[in-house]
Amino acid sequence: IIIAFLIIYSFNTSYPSEESPEKAKINGLIMLIEFEGIDGVLHWEKALDQNNIRALIKAQENVLEEYPEVFKRLADKGYEIAGGYDEAPFWDMAYEEQYDLMKKAKETIECITEKPMRVFGSRYFAYDENTLKAADDLDIQYILARGTAGEEAVVYAPEEYRVKIISVSNVPFEEMGKGSLCDYSLWARGATPEDFGEVLDWCLNNKPKDMILVSHAYLGGTRLAWWEQNEKALRSDKVMWRTNFDEWLKNLDVIEMPFSEIP
C-alpha cells in the first residue's frame, strides 16, 4: 500500500537547479545505498531525473547482479555507481582480503556499467591504511569514510597515496551518539520520520559548505513518510544539489595532509 502511494505521487515539484542565481548555497550530493531491492532506487531515479540531479549509488553485489540493466542505465545517464562490501567493516582486515573484495566489486560494476568503478565503501564506511593501499593498487580513486566534521562533508587527500577519502556528513541524535546524515542510520537508532526531518532542518540551517545526504533507498524511497522528508530536503533553497558526482567534487576544497593526521 505504501509503495502504491509512491507510484501515484506527483514529481512535478521543481527542486533547486544549477541555473539558480543564488550563490551562497550548500554544495549538496545525494548518495543512495541499496542492498535489498530496486523499487526505492527507481523512485529516486524518477524524482532526480526530472530535475537533472544525479546521485552517487552504492549497491551491494546481489542487487547489482539481479538488476544489471537498471545500473547500466543509471551509469549511462551520469549516476556514479560505487562498489561496496556490507558483510563486514574493513577495520583491521588484512590487505589481501580487502584487495580481493574490492577487486571483485570493481569487476562486477565495470562488467555491468562498462565504466570505471571510482568509489568504494565497506560496511559502516570503515577503512584503514590497507584499504588505501589496495585502492591505489586497483586504481580506485575514492574511499567512503565515516564523518569527521559534523554535518560538513570533507574530502581528504592523504599525501602518501593517490586515493582520496570522502568523509560523509555526520549528525548527532539524542543519547545514541553520532551517525551518517542518513534516513536508515537515524531509523536504526529509533528515530521517526519527523525526527529525521528535524535533523535535516538543523543541518540545512547550519549551512555547511559541503554536504552528503544519504538514503537507504528501500527505506527513503519506498516509505511515504520517510520519502516526504527527503523530498523536503530536495526542495530546500539552501542547497545546490549538483548535477553529478564530478560537479560536486569541483565545488569543494580537497584537504591534503599526511595519512596519520587525517581524523
Side-chain angles (χ1 to χ4, degrees):
I1 294 174
I2 294 171
I3 293 175
F5 272 116
L6 288 171
I7 292 173
I8 63 172
Y9 193 90
S10 171
F11 294 101
N12 293 327
T13 303
S14 293
Y15 305 138
S17 68
E18 191 67 25
E19 289 72 32
S20 171
E22 299 179 43
K23 296 297 182 184
K25 291 189 175 186
I26 299 166
N27 179 38
L29 176 69
I30 299 295
M31 178 179 173
L32 306 179
I33 295 176
E34 188 54 86
F35 52 81
E36 288 200 1
I38 203 64
D39 289 337
V41 171
L42 295 177
H43 181 80
W44 271 102
E45 178 192 9
K46 185 175 180 181
L48 296 178
D49 278 4
Q50 288 189 349
N51 293 273
N52 194 30
I53 301 169
R54 301 290 183 265
L56 169 67
I57 304 179
K58 176 177 170 284
Q60 193 165 281
E61 186 177 11
N62 62 302
V63 179
L64 289 163
E65 292 180 342
E66 187 171 357
Y67 305 101
E69 73 289 345
V70 172
F71 290 97
K72 177 66 167 68
R73 181 182 73 239
L74 290 166
D76 287 344
K77 290 196 294 188
Y79 288 77
E80 190 75 28
I81 310 302
Y85 182 72
D86 292 303
E87 299 301 316
F90 272 16
W91 292 307
D92 301 321
M93 185 184 290
Y95 166 86
E96 293 77 10
E97 187 175 1
Q98 292 195 36
Y99 178 93
D100 290 343
L101 291 169
M102 293 165 72
K103 183 173 184 287
K104 184 178 180 183
K106 179 178 170 70
E107 290 172 347
T108 297
I109 287 176
E110 293 183 353
C111 179
I112 289 171
T113 66
E114 299 178 356
K115 292 175 173 60
M117 188 197 82
R118 301 194 296 164
V119 185
F120 180 88
S122 81
R123 188 173 186 179
Y124 306 138
F125 298 153
Y127 76 95
D128 59 19
E129 196 162 7
N130 284 331
T131 317
L132 305 188
K133 293 175 182 177
D136 271 7
D137 290 342
L138 290 165
D139 292 323
I140 296 170
Q141 297 177 23
Y142 298 93
I143 292 295
L144 295 167
R146 293 170 66 85
T148 60
E151 62 274 15
E152 182 91 27
V154 182
V155 177
Y156 297 102
E159 292 176 353
E160 304 89 337
Y161 300 96
R162 299 191 310 277
V163 65
K164 295 179 177 62
I165 300 166
I166 301 175
S167 173
V168 302
S169 297
N170 191 267
V171 294
F173 181 66
E174 296 180 351
E175 71 279 0
M176 296 301 290
K178 292 185 176 181
S180 300
L181 177 56
C182 169
D183 44 30
Y184 180 88
S185 176
L186 286 162
W187 172 83
R189 289 180 284 157
T192 66
E194 293 72 27
D195 293 331
F196 176 49
E198 290 178 7
V199 170
L200 281 172
D201 288 341
W202 177 81
C203 288
L204 297 178
N205 289 334
N206 283 348
K207 293 188 177 180
K209 181 179 178 294
D210 309 297
M211 189 179 83
I212 300 175
L213 172 59
V214 182
S215 174
H216 279 240
Y218 74 89
L219 174 69
T222 67
R223 300 296 185 265
L224 184 58
W226 289 91
W227 167 251
E228 287 176 338
Q229 300 302 329
N230 282 312
E231 212 268 348
K232 183 174 68 173
L234 288 174
R235 295 183 191 209
S236 173
D237 61 5
K238 295 182 174 69
V239 188
M240 181 69 74
W241 297 109
R242 297 300 177 181
T243 56
N244 56 46
F245 178 59
D246 285 325
E247 190 68 24
W248 183 75
L249 291 170
K250 287 177 185 176
N251 285 278
L252 56 75
D253 297 319
V254 175
I255 300 175
E256 185 173 342
M257 62 175 60
F259 172 72
S260 61
E261 296 180 12
I262 296 175

